Amino acid sequence: MALSIESAQNIFSNTQVPSPIPATIALFDQLGVDDQLAYLWYAYTEMGKTITPAAPGVARLQLAEGLLNQIKQMSQEEQTQVMRELANRADSPISRSYGFFSVNTKLAFWYELGELMKQGVVTPIPSGYQMSPGVKVVLEATQKLDAGQQITVLRNTVVDMGFDTSALGPSSSKAAAEPAFKRSAPAITSVKIEGITEPAVLGYIEAMNADKFDAAIALFTTDGALQPPFQKPIIGHEAIAKYMREEAQGLNMMPQQGICEVLPDGSKQLKVTGVVQTPWFGVTVGMNIAWRFLINPQGKIFFVAIDMLASPQELMNLRRV
Ligand code: 45D
């Protein structure tokens, strides 16, 4: 029987629990634009403290420099207006340029803007702003999340800002090469996962922990797919490679345990749980995640989904039913 991505998406579906992350983002989406910016500012002043200062990197900040310089020259009212346009996903020149940034360049742009706010060069919250009760509701919902979930909410809101350029095709100016993240610690070279001996899975983690994306992709079937948290599957070597270069650099993957089941046709489904660290926060924030792999009878990865766990208890949830 041929494997299908649709059926692969449903492996171990009985162990999936609704995530509080989209629920929190849904509350955020209901806020007015000034309330959204205020919520993000309060949330960021709490969580942003542990961002690794070197993470944005000089090369990446250069990609955002043009926009940041324009904003620095503006009056306070104009600065506030730009931030509203970004949050509203408006079709304005700055919001369009931002929309073409990669995920990490968007984060670096806001990181630097935050620094400029601390220096008093850029205005944080509109003058005369009055907080509505809804902001408190979203902040309280956010406080109930673990640290890894909180930074995911922050990341996803930043990614969603700016004009949606996906329908416009690639940027007219030559797409900038994605700068590298510096690894602070040497890559973990021999991976051990309790309950797992599958070479494709161990090889995948080892390659990803060294940013060897070509080696990781060689483990996939040509029609293989990778499904990031809260996203649709990314299909085929080229698309997965592009995604990994933009979003999977510098990650520390620490899988802990897993289960493997052999299916009648010789393919295998595996679920592995563990912790992932992003180069933005280093060792200070761990994200509890699960990988769900479908390996074909020839030992190649046909599908892998990465899911954020709803709670740390889910790390141990490897039962089948
Ligand atoms: O003034 O196996 C605001 C894959 C506005 C690959 C701001 C993966 C107001 C395959 C915006 C708030 C990648 C899928 C200022 C595995 C304001 C694979 C500034 C998983 C100043 C395992 C805000 C990887 C700022 C995972 C600067 C799960 C916010 C990766 C910065 C997860 C926020 C990574 C940052 C995450 C958030 C990174 C830097 C969640 C970073 C989050």
Side-chain angles (χ1 to χ4, degrees), residues 36-44 48 51 83 98 104 106-115 117 123-124 148 151-158 161 204-205 208 226-229 243-244 247-248 251 253 276-278 280-281 287 289 291 304 306 308:
Q36 286 190 345
L37 290 169
Y39 159 83
L40 286 170
W41 173 249
Y42 293 130
Y44 176 63
I51 290 189
M83 287 183 234
Y98 179 93
N104 284 314
K106 286 176 177 168
L107 292 168
F109 166 86
W110 276 109
Y111 174 84
E112 187 59 18
L113 217 49
E115 294 301 299
M117 289 174 190
T123 179
I151 66 165
T152 304
V153 169
L154 205 55
R155 179 186 195 265
N156 291 2
T157 53
V158 166
M161 282 194 224
Y204 171 84
I205 301 288
M208 295 299 287
L226 180 142
Q227 178 177 290
Y243 173 81
M244 285 181 175
E247 304 198 29
L251 296 172
M253 305 193 184
V276 173
Q277 293 163 346
T278 149
W280 285 101
F281 290 88
M287 287 166 287
I289 70 155
W291 290 266
V304 56
I306 293 90
M308 299 288 302

Side-chain angles (χ1 to χ4, degrees), residues 240-308:
I240 299 173
K242 178 174 186 289
Y243 173 81
M244 285 181 175
R245 280 193 301 271
E246 287 182 2
E247 304 198 29
Q249 272 190 44
L251 296 172
N252 259 335
M253 305 193 184
M254 296 169 285
Q256 294 164 352
Q257 59 258 304
I259 47 167
C260 173
E261 293 168 1
V262 183
L263 303 173
D265 67 350
S267 58
K268 291 174 195 153
Q269 56 184 45
L270 301 95
K271 180 175 169 181
V272 176
T273 57
V275 176
V276 173
Q277 293 163 346
T278 149
W280 285 101
F281 290 88
V283 296
T284 58
V285 183
M287 287 166 287
N288 300 321
I289 70 155
W291 290 266
R292 293 178 292 127
F293 288 93
L294 186 58
I295 308 288
N296 80 0
Q298 290 73 44
K300 292 267 183 184
I301 303 172
F302 175 70
F303 180 82
V304 56
I306 293 90
D307 304 304
M308 299 288 302

Side-chain angles (χ1 to χ4, degrees), residues 72-85:
K72 279 193 233 174
Q73 313 294 319
M74 292 178 173
S75 70
Q76 291 205 350
E77 289 73 30
E78 288 169 325
Q79 291 173 344
T80 298
Q81 199 46 40
V82 166
M83 287 183 234
R84 288 188 180 127
E85 284 168 8

Side-chain angles (χ1 to χ4, degrees), residues 160-179:
D160 278 349
M161 282 194 224
F163 186 64
D164 180 3
T165 57
S166 57
L168 301 176
S171 166
S172 45
S173 57
K174 218 169 94 234
E178 189 67 23

Side-chain angles (χ1 to χ4, degrees), residues 19-28 30 138 141:
S19 167
I21 295 169
T24 306
I25 293 176
L27 288 174
F28 168 84
Q30 288 169 26
V138 193

